[in-house]
Each structure stands twice: as structure tokens, then as C-alpha cells.
Amino acid sequence: MTEHFHIPSFDGLQLAVTAAGPENGQPILLFHGGGQTRHAWQSSVEALGKAGYRALAFDHRGHGDSGWSEDYNIDLFSGDVLHLARQQTQAPIIVGASLGGIAAMLANATDAGEISQALVLVDIAPRSNPEGVERILNFMASRPDGFANLEEAADAVAEYQPHRKQRSDPSGLKKNLRQRDNGRWYWHWDPKALAAFQRETGNEMGPDLIYAAAEQLSQPVLLVRGSMSDVINEEITAEFQARIPHSQVVEVGGAGHMVAGDRNDIFSQTILDFLLGLDSPQAANG
């Protein structure tokens, strides 16, 4: 059973959380990618909670049900990850997809030292394929006027992710959309965040800076890559393994960049297998 609540960020902004599992279980913090919401982790949160972990999935600032801020530079996102990790009763395991993974790598490289026991990067590395990133940003920018109904939104998703089977009932998209007073549906994130993401990808923060953070990691690191991803390819994966030699890599067949959404059953089991292999004990609860 999941719980939904809000907790403050490092600067007091309210962040939405979905949690499952015993409160004294090993904490696992899950951070989604840009333009997504915490609901991308729904099935994984439930699976981790049933396994005895305390799983907490957060909406980033400016996303989902979290508060909006004046800016969305990467320091703010990594500051939130750092703050939330420090709030736990023990060092957490962090799972970060795309934006969440970058923020987690940077949060682990402050003067405070490593903040997590292990890190799972979901289809993200310090270097990424510019064409794949551009496709994501283009999708986010493609419908500034929103959608007349949920069916229109479902069609847009199907066009963006042709490999994923389209659901006959589009009502599940309500978790990723908000309906304004004009009756139209808009993606559930602050439009100002898109400009910030475009600015960050304009080489203000290059891969060398992120690699400088990642190469400081001594904790176990797992990179989960979608076999159909256009953001992380085999060359990028090989570079990551060479520069982070103690890392593990798992490729999920039939999945694109949004691995958890494409093959959630395989993704959840991959995470559980990784957790069982860690030196830190699994929570005995549940």
C-alpha cells in the first residue's frame, strides 16, 4: 500500500512523495527524469515496499504535485537530492533516471562526501547522445497549447514512443497532466523548466564536470540501459564502464529511454537483484 504526502526541499519548496514499505526499512530514494513525475516509479515503489525496503519516489521541483520555483538549474535538483538523502535515518540507496541520475551523481560529489550506499542510474551517464536528448526536449516543447482531451495526449505519446503498446484507456495519463481552467490538458511540469533544460544542454554543464563527480564514487553503481535507447548507446556505455570500473551494467531488452515505463517488470526485478547483491543487508521487514 502506498502513501502520498509532501516534505520540504532544502529551500522550503514542497516536494510530493509516494512511499511504500516499512518506515524502518532500508530507504531507497527514486528520482525521475525531466518532464516525468514520480508516478513513473509506481510499480517499482510497490515492489520495493513489498520486499521490505522503504521506497520513496519524489516529484522534482516544478514537476507533478511539487511546488514550482523561480529557476531550475542543476544545482537546485542536486541540492534537493542531497537534502532528502540527509533526512533519512541511514544512508539511502538512490535510483535516478536521466535528470534524477545526473542530480544524484552531483549530490554525491560535494564536500560532504558520498551520501548514498549505492547508486542506480537509469539510462543516463555523464555523457549522452545529443540527438536523443534533443528528441526529448523537442517532445516537451511540441505542444505548448496543450491537448483538447486525453486521447490527443495519448496519440502524442504513441508518436513519441512507437515501440510502446498504446493503452486503450488513456485515463492513466491524468497523473502526468493537469487540466487548466480553459479545459485543456497540459503536461504536469512548469514550462520554465524546459528553458532551463535547454540551457543546461547548451554546454553550460558538460560531461566532463559530471564525470568528475562520477569518478569519485566508491559505492556500488548500476547502470540500467534500455536496449532501444537513443540517449545511451553502446559506445557511451563502454566509456562509462571504463571510467567507472567498479560499475555494473544491465541492458533491458525492448525498452527505450524510459526503461521503467517500457518494461517495469524486468526493471523492478533488476533493481531487486542488484540490492540483494549489496554488502548492506536487505531490510528484514515486510
Side-chain angles (χ1 to χ4, degrees):
M1 185 174 180
T2 55
E3 314 159 43
H4 304 279
F5 51 92
H6 285 77
I7 61 175
S9 66
F10 74 93
D11 58 357
L13 196 73
Q14 291 296 307
L15 302 177
V17 190
T18 292
E23 292 191 7
N24 63 344
Q26 164 69 53
I28 301 179
L29 313 184
L30 299 99
F31 298 95
H32 61 76
Q36 299 179 321
T37 72
R38 71 190 191 280
H39 298 296
W41 305 114
Q42 184 67 35
S43 296
S44 298
V45 166
E46 293 173 358
L48 291 167
K50 288 180 181 178
Y53 298 95
R54 179 61 172 174
L56 302 105
F58 299 87
D59 278 338
H60 284 301
R61 60 178 58 225
H63 292 70
D65 299 314
S66 288
W68 289 11
S69 61
E70 291 300 315
D71 193 15
Y72 295 98
N73 64 65
I74 192 62
D75 290 338
L76 294 173
F77 292 111
S78 62
D80 287 338
V81 173
L82 177 63
H83 172 76
L84 294 168
R86 286 174 168 172
Q87 301 307 302
Q88 308 308 310
T89 57
Q90 57 180 301
I93 294 157
I94 295 180
V95 180
S98 203
L99 170 66
I102 293 173
M105 284 186 277
L106 294 174
N108 263 295
T110 68
D111 293 339
E114 295 181 59
I115 59 172
S116 50
Q117 292 189 26
L119 177 61
V120 179
L121 301 172
V122 184
D123 210 66
I124 195 62
R127 191 183 310 280
S128 55
N129 179 23
E131 290 78 12
V133 174
E134 183 178 5
R135 195 171 78 90
I136 294 172
L137 295 177
N138 288 342
F139 172 73
M140 292 177 66
S142 63
R143 293 299 295 265
D145 58 343
F147 306 95
N149 50 53
L150 296 177
E151 286 75 17
E152 278 192 9
D155 289 341
V157 172
E159 183 179 355
Y160 174 65
Q161 297 178 312
H163 63 280
R164 185 185 294 186
K165 183 178 179 180
Q166 187 172 0
R167 297 179 180 179
S168 57
D169 180 6
S171 61
L173 282 173
K174 286 183 178 180
K175 293 179 178 179
N176 297 312
L177 295 161
R178 66 179 73 200
Q179 190 173 30
R180 296 184 186 170
D181 293 340
N182 63 5
R184 296 183 67 81
W185 295 87
Y186 297 81
W187 295 119
H188 213 355
W189 42 267
D190 185 350
K192 287 189 299 183
L194 175 60
F197 298 153
Q198 291 169 327
R199 184 178 71 239
E200 296 286 1
T201 55
N203 292 325
E204 284 194 10
M205 183 190 62
D208 290 341
L209 176 63
I210 308 173
Y211 258 124
E215 288 173 339
Q216 296 182 42
L217 295 170
S218 62
Q219 63 192 273
V221 177
L222 172 66
L223 171 59
V224 182
R225 173 181 174 263
S227 65
M228 302 171 64
S229 172
D230 58 357
V231 175
I232 302 297
N233 57 30
E234 293 180 358
E235 180 181 349
I236 291 171
T237 301
E239 178 191 28
F240 182 84
Q241 287 183 288
R243 297 185 67 165
I244 317 295
H246 69 280
S247 63
Q248 303 176 45
V249 174
V250 173
E251 184 175 287
V252 177
H257 181 56
M258 298 180 184
V259 181
D262 288 345
R263 298 301 305 271
N264 194 271
D265 52 342
I266 298 176
F267 174 76
S268 296
Q269 189 58 54
T270 297
I271 301 301
L272 287 169
D273 290 344
F274 174 67
L275 295 175
L276 288 173
L278 297 179
D279 290 336
S280 54
Q282 178 186 2
N285 303 283

